[in-house]
Amino acid sequence: QVQLVESGGGLVQAGGSLRLSCAVSGATLDTYTMGWFRQAPGKEREYVASINRSDYTRYGVDSVKGRFTISRDNAKNWVYLQMNSLKPEDTAVYYCAGKRASSTRWSDWGQGTQVTVSS
């Protein structure tokens, strides 16, 4: 069974940085596309970024482009989201997710980690 456990969230002032980490167990990471999603209060969950087996990255939210960087360490089974120049509107619960390389459905999810950016 695949398990994803996020860490690294917290409270930070606007302009600050955080690095979220996602520990992956029960799967060989290099067979998965991994992603980060977020959900702010009262809003739907939105796709933030993903990285595939070839380390090709995509960013789904225009406002994070140039500020957030997704990366992975297949040897250690970790996925990261480096977040710089944080803004209050980045406040949300951030979720790590995974899907098999051949799938279009995000099948595995972590429990989420809270990121709060104060102005």
Side-chain angles (χ1 to χ4, degrees):
Q1 183 177 357
V2 179
Q3 288 190 322
L4 308 179
V5 180
E6 303 96 336
S7 59
L11 174 64
V12 64
Q13 288 188 333
S17 297
L18 284 174
R19 188 176 81 155
L20 304 184
S21 301
C22 175
V24 182
S25 60
T28 303
L29 189 59
D30 62 4
T31 64
Y32 273 69
T33 292
M34 299 301 299
W36 288 94
F37 291 73
R38 69 185 183 184
Q39 187 167 19
K43 295 186 178 181
E44 294 188 353
R45 187 174 299 187
E46 63 178 355
Y47 161 75
V48 175
S50 63
I51 183 168
N52 70 6
R53 296 168 60 187
S54 301
D55 285 342
Y56 176 77
T57 59
R58 292 181 60 193
Y59 296 89
V61 181
D62 286 342
S63 65
V64 309
K65 294 176 182 177
R67 298 190 298 121
F68 290 12
T69 303
I70 187 171
S71 62
R72 62 194 293 161
D73 184 334
N74 288 342
K76 297 181 178 179
N77 268 23
W78 285 88
V79 182
Y80 305 100
L81 185 68
Q82 178 67 43
M83 306 186 295
N84 299 327
S85 302
L86 283 161
K87 304 176 181 180
E89 51 263 43
D90 295 320
T91 295
V93 178
Y94 283 72
Y95 297 90
C96 178
K99 59 179 177 176
R100 295 187 184 276
S102 58
S103 175
T104 59
R105 184 177 70 91
W106 294 94
S107 55
D108 303 292
W109 293 86
Q111 82 288 350
T113 185
Q114 176 71 46
V115 171
T116 302
V117 184
S118 63
S119 58

